[in-house]
Amino acid sequence: CFHPIKLARAFHIPSPAACARFSPLRLRATADNGREDQWDVIVVGSGIGGLCASAMCSRYGLKTLCVEAHDVAGGVAHSFQRRSPGGDGAQQRPFVFDSGPSLLSGMSAKGTNPLRQVLDAVGVAQEIEWVTYDGWMLHDTAFPITDPRSSFRLTTGSSNTFEQAIEHKAGIQSRIEFNKFKRRIMSPGGLSESSALIPPLALRGDWGAILTMLSYLGKFLKIGVQGTLLTGPFTQCMNLYGLKDPFVKKWFDYLAFALSGLDAAHTQAAPVAYTMIDLHKKGAVLDYPKGGIDSLVKALVKGLEMQRDSFAPGELRVNSRVTRFLLQEENNRPKCTGVVLENGKVLKAKRGVICNAPLWNMAKLLEDSIVNPLDLSVAAAVHDVRAKANQMEMTGSFMHLHLGIPAEGLENLDCHHSVLNFDQDITAEQNLVIVSIPTVFDSTLAPEGYHVIHAYTAASEDFGDWETKLEEKCDNGTIEANDYKRDKSYKDLKEKKAEALWMALERIIPDIRERANRKGSIVEIGTPLTHRRYNRRFRGTYGPAPSEGKEVWDLPGPMTPIEGLLACGDTTFPGIGLPGVAASGTIAANTLVGVDVQLKLMREMKDAGALQ
């Protein structure tokens, strides 16, 4: 969902003189002298945003390298495998865990989801087999488990089943107000429709956006004053449309928090409005990929590494940690020409470097990249990035609980659950626990006869509780595998903090602890320090929060003050979430090619029915 208001400001659009890239790109032969690798584009980080940027650059004909510090791709969305140490030898398959998001929509068919559009653009959409389903369970801990108001189900589509659940949960007045609000926001030309009018494939970070958005001028104008609503807090829409019912307002706080890690008063209206139509339009379904989220990651990697015509395929390199950018001063302007890996390998980029690291991490990497203090323009640009990082607030972190348990007697489970106290502030620490049981859809993710479960507290963990476990007693921005103590106090805190996850799971599977203690089961607990280490997230954060004095995000676009260095990911426009980071990666890739190249792909996508 993209909005005209603040668009030019968000993208820090440079002058037309800086945009001399309006010609088709063709590969040129490059020499490798053994000390350097030559590429057109280097992408730092293989999160979903980085993989989308990489695959799109490769699709555009750019020789693209994606470098990843971890030993697997995917960033926060990566998957990992474990085998039970107490297995009986009959376990032929490992337990396969998603480490991050697993609730998706708009993926199983062509549509407006930016991540689906990337899959279509790079030619790998058919690589993924999707399971479609119609909702998830919610458990309200304000009521005892025996009370019928303690649980209800969100059902997608337009059958009014969810409205009936609202009435059963909170009364007829809540149902009436939800229906009235839904009709208003989903009306033709309304806020939900407006949120999806302009696709990221039409956007870029320079003045070329005037040409690539020309065919959307009518839609751009149609959004009109609604643009201010879309970029403002969702509570502004709630107030404007007269929403007063306490339960329905709490519901939208929950929905906003699930999307952004922030309540409705601090979440932009656009993603919530978009989600409303995604959940409640006729025939709406949710999607889960067979093989887990890893199959989505693998499809994007295939899109990067695919051989296309006369263009060289791209490449993903894991275990390739970037220690600094190659920065230099050219005509009194800062410029990035590549990166240096931990092993000393120099990687040169002719077109540009795209950084998928969060802004806080990128600022630290830039500071480590200054080698000549006399390059004043470089120092000033790095200082500018650091200042923006310091101004950007962040959400809390996560506790994770990964389980492999016997599945007998659990035949009628829903895959997804949310456990929370609706009477408490949605942002309260450990209030919301999100649960995924993907073996409900794909039994191959676990040994025969077992379920895998991922439960986590969403963006509500205070990193300050864990910071003293770091060797430096604070997060200095440099992340090492062994930079925190795993002593008794750490293990005790881990068990204490995991208790909320166990209690939430007991709402769904009352004998969960006993099952987890059986032979062949597995228990893995992840802390904010685990999240920080494996996902390379500063302070283990989920992502950005509004800066001081702001109600909502005011995120930058792909351009940075350094020529040749672009950014993507959840600290750039449009923000947190798989669709958001996919959009940011697409916009960064678009910016590195000529307008005619981008328009050609847009025409092909429209002809194929894959672009609105």
Side-chain angles (χ1 to χ4, degrees):
C1 27
F2 307 97
H3 334 295
I5 308 300
K6 302 181 183 177
L7 199 62
R9 182 169 58 125
F11 277 70
H12 303 291
I13 295 178
S15 66
C19 305
R21 284 188 294 271
F22 293 2
S23 60
L25 294 168
R26 293 292 182 266
L27 289 178
R28 296 190 296 271
T30 58
D32 187 345
N33 60 13
R35 293 170 297 169
E36 295 183 352
D37 271 357
Q38 294 280 350
W39 300 85
D40 289 322
V41 178
I42 296 169
V43 179
V44 180
S46 68
I48 297 299
L51 286 177
C52 287
S54 300
M56 286 296 295
C57 284
S58 183
R59 169 64 177 81
Y60 279 134
L62 296 171
K63 184 183 177 186
T64 305
L65 173 66
C66 181
V67 288
E68 167 59 48
H70 199 0
D71 58 6
V72 293
V76 176
H78 78 270
S79 299
F80 64 94
Q81 298 183 1
R82 292 289 186 270
R83 295 185 184 273
S84 170
D88 57 10
Q91 293 184 347
Q92 299 296 318
R93 298 189 298 258
F95 294 99
V96 181
F97 295 106
D98 296 329
S99 70
S102 58
L103 200 156
L104 310 174
S105 62
M107 294 298 298
S108 55
K110 295 174 182 177
T112 58
N113 186 305
L115 180 52
R116 169 65 197 222
Q117 290 182 345
V118 170
L119 296 176
D120 285 318
V122 303
V124 296
Q126 302 310 312
E127 297 290 321
I128 305 172
E129 180 182 355
W130 295 98
V131 178
T132 60
Y133 60 108
D134 68 351
W136 70 86
M137 288 296 299
L138 293 106
H139 307 265
D140 187 354
T141 59
F143 297 92
I145 197 169
T146 54
D147 192 308
R149 292 170 296 177
S150 69
S151 63
F152 63 104
R153 191 173 192 273
L154 180 141
T155 303
T156 60
S158 57
S159 67
N160 288 321
T161 304
F162 179 51
E163 287 81 346
Q164 293 169 12
I166 289 177
E167 181 178 349
H168 180 73
K169 164 68 178 168
I172 185 64
Q173 188 59 36
S174 295
R175 175 177 180 170
I176 290 171
E177 285 219 31
F178 178 82
N179 259 328
K180 180 181 177 182
F181 184 79
K182 184 184 76 169
R183 285 197 300 270
R184 183 78 181 272
I185 199 171
M186 292 177 56
S187 62
L191 212 60
S192 290
E193 184 180 287
S194 296
S195 70
L197 287 178
I198 302 175
L201 274 160
L203 301 177
R204 52 191 293 130
D206 58 28
W207 287 98
I210 295 172
L211 299 176
T212 57
M213 289 182 62
L214 197 58
S215 63
Y216 291 93
L217 180 60
K219 293 181 178 181
F220 190 92
L221 296 175
K222 183 179 179 181
I223 293 174
V225 295
Q226 293 200 110
T228 57
L229 280 177
L230 288 167
T231 56
F234 191 68
T235 47
Q236 186 176 333
C237 305
M238 294 161 63
N239 295 334
L240 180 65
Y241 295 165
L243 181 60
K244 299 184 184 303
D245 182 80
F247 175 77
V248 180
K249 291 171 75 173
K250 290 176 182 177
W251 168 257
F252 282 113
D253 268 334
Y254 156 76
L255 190 62
F257 193 83
L259 291 169
S260 70
L262 303 163
D263 61 15
H266 296 93
T267 298
Q268 277 190 337
V272 187
Y274 180 87
T275 300
M276 279 293 289
I277 202 167
D278 229 21
L279 292 177
H280 300 297
K281 66 186 178 183
K282 184 177 181 180
V285 294
L286 301 172
D287 307 305
Y288 186 79
K290 281 286 191 80
I293 300 300
D294 188 51
S295 64
L296 174 59
V297 172
K298 287 178 178 176
L300 289 171
V301 173
K302 182 172 182 177
L304 163 65
E305 298 182 336
M306 188 181 298
Q307 177 71 57
R308 295 181 176 90
D309 300 327
S310 60
F311 301 124
E315 183 181 335
L316 168 71
R317 292 184 191 172
V318 296
N319 296 310
S320 299
R321 177 181 171 185
V322 171
T323 56
R324 64 184 179 93
F325 296 108
L326 291 173
L327 302 180
Q328 65 187 49
E329 194 168 74
E330 191 173 287
N331 298 322
N332 295 317
R333 295 173 61 89
K335 184 174 183 179
C336 179
T337 60
V339 300
V340 180
L341 301 183
E342 191 172 32
N343 63 6
K345 183 76 171 179
V346 175
L347 305 172
K348 288 293 193 73
K350 292 182 291 182
R351 292 283 176 177
V353 174
I354 301 175
C355 182
N356 185 212
L359 181 61
W360 309 284
N361 300 68
M362 183 172 75
K364 178 66 169 75
L365 195 56
L366 282 169
E367 289 168 339
D368 293 341
S369 302
I370 297 177
V371 295
N372 184 359
L374 297 180
D375 287 344
L376 299 182
S377 67
V378 171
V382 171
H383 176 77
D384 183 40
V385 174
R386 167 51 68 191
K388 287 182 170 62
N390 290 345
Q391 291 168 5
M392 184 177 285
E393 299 291 336
M394 63 187 72
T395 63
S397 188
F398 293 76
M399 283 293 298
H400 296 269
L401 181 58
H402 295 279
L403 302 176
I405 63 167
E408 76 268 12
L410 303 175
E411 288 79 15
N412 297 312
L413 287 175
D414 273 86
C415 175
H416 289 102
H417 303 254
S418 290
V419 184
L420 70 156
N421 187 328
F422 272 96
D423 286 348
Q424 291 185 5
D425 188 326
I426 188 63
T427 65
E429 186 170 0
Q430 296 198 317
N431 183 22
L432 175 60
V433 175
I434 294 176
V435 177
S436 173
I437 314 172
T439 35
V440 167
F441 297 139
D442 186 355
S443 62
T444 67
L445 297 173
E448 186 175 357
Y450 284 81
H451 273 310
V452 292
I453 299 175
H454 179 205
Y456 59 94
T457 52
S460 64
E461 290 294 327
D462 184 357
F463 190 76
D465 295 340
W466 301 88
E467 200 155 21
T468 57
K469 308 301 178 186
L470 291 168
E471 294 288 349
E472 300 290 331
K473 303 301 181 184
C474 69
D475 193 342
N476 63 12
T478 300
I479 300 172
E480 304 289 350
N482 297 308
D483 63 0
Y484 61 94
K485 300 175 182 177
R486 298 163 181 82
D487 56 12
K488 184 178 185 302
S489 66
Y490 172 79
K491 293 175 181 177
D492 289 346
L493 183 59
K494 181 165 73 169
E495 294 294 334
K496 177 184 176 182
K497 290 283 192 174
E499 182 62 21
L501 300 172
W502 286 109
M503 292 176 66
L505 284 170
E506 285 174 328
R507 284 269 171 164
I508 305 162
I509 305 172
D511 63 345
I512 187 72
R513 297 185 203 240
E514 184 273 325
R515 289 174 182 266
N517 283 325
R518 293 185 199 174
K519 182 180 179 181
S521 294
I522 191 168
V523 177
E524 294 274 352
I525 301 174
T527 72
L529 292 175
T530 317
H531 192 81
R532 167 185 176 272
R533 172 190 173 189
Y534 285 102
N535 298 320
R536 309 196 73 78
R537 304 287 297 186
F538 180 62
R539 294 179 63 84
T541 183
Y542 178 43
S547 301
E548 186 176 353
K550 301 282 187 178
E551 289 185 298
V552 295
W553 297 325
D554 188 10
L555 299 177
M559 308 299 283
T560 75
I562 300 170
E563 182 183 349
L565 178 62
L566 290 80
C568 71
D570 58 17
T571 53
T572 60
F573 177 85
I576 290 175
L578 292 183
V581 297
S584 74
T586 301
I587 296 167
N590 293 344
T591 307
L592 288 176
V593 301
V595 166
D596 52 349
V597 177
Q598 183 180 348
L599 288 172
K600 181 175 183 292
L601 177 59
M602 289 169 61
R603 287 193 296 271
E604 292 173 0
M605 292 279 288
K606 288 180 179 180
D607 290 344
L611 186 65
Q612 65 267 43

